[in-house]
Amino acid sequence: FTCLISVTQVRVSPDLRHGKVYVSLMGDSKAKQTDWALLEKQVSEIQRHVGANLKLKFTPRLQLFLDSSADEVDKI
């Protein structure tokens, strides 16, 4: 990874089966595209690590979303 990657927010469904993970990427646009593609490929590995560290009956199914609010702040 060549960008600074931050998890800005996680929203979990009431039944704890689904999780929306909002990720912010800081870097140039080409690096962001490359790193986002890598993150999407690794989501199952991330989900496996989350499941290994949680004591829940079901591991939440994770979805990644790009949080572009940091880019908007930089423009201002």
Side-chain angles (χ1 to χ4, degrees), residues 10-22 56 58-63:
V10 177
R11 293 184 181 173
V12 183
S13 66
D15 63 0
L16 302 177
R17 290 189 184 228
H18 301 281
K20 294 181 179 181
V21 180
Y22 295 87
L56 295 174
F58 300 102
T59 300
R61 179 108 173 140
L62 300 179
Q63 287 182 286

Side-chain angles (χ1 to χ4, degrees), residues 5-76:
I5 301 171
S6 297
V7 175
T8 57
Q9 186 176 29
V10 177
R11 293 184 181 173
V12 183
S13 66
D15 63 0
L16 302 177
R17 290 189 184 228
H18 301 281
K20 294 181 179 181
V21 180
Y22 295 87
V23 179
S24 176
L25 301 174
M26 302 273 250
D28 63 48
S29 61
K30 183 174 172 121
K32 285 181 185 181
Q33 290 175 347
T34 303
D35 288 356
W36 181 251
L38 287 171
L39 273 175
E40 286 184 320
K41 286 182 184 178
Q42 295 295 318
V43 72
S44 61
E45 184 71 17
I46 296 167
Q47 184 172 323
R48 187 179 68 77
H49 283 287
V50 168
N53 291 295
L54 290 178
K55 293 182 177 22
L56 295 174
K57 186 174 183 177
F58 300 102
T59 300
R61 179 108 173 140
L62 300 179
Q63 287 182 286
L64 296 179
F65 294 92
L66 187 59
D67 183 357
S68 60
S69 61
D71 293 335
E72 297 300 321
V73 170
D74 285 341
K75 287 180 186 176
I76 294 174

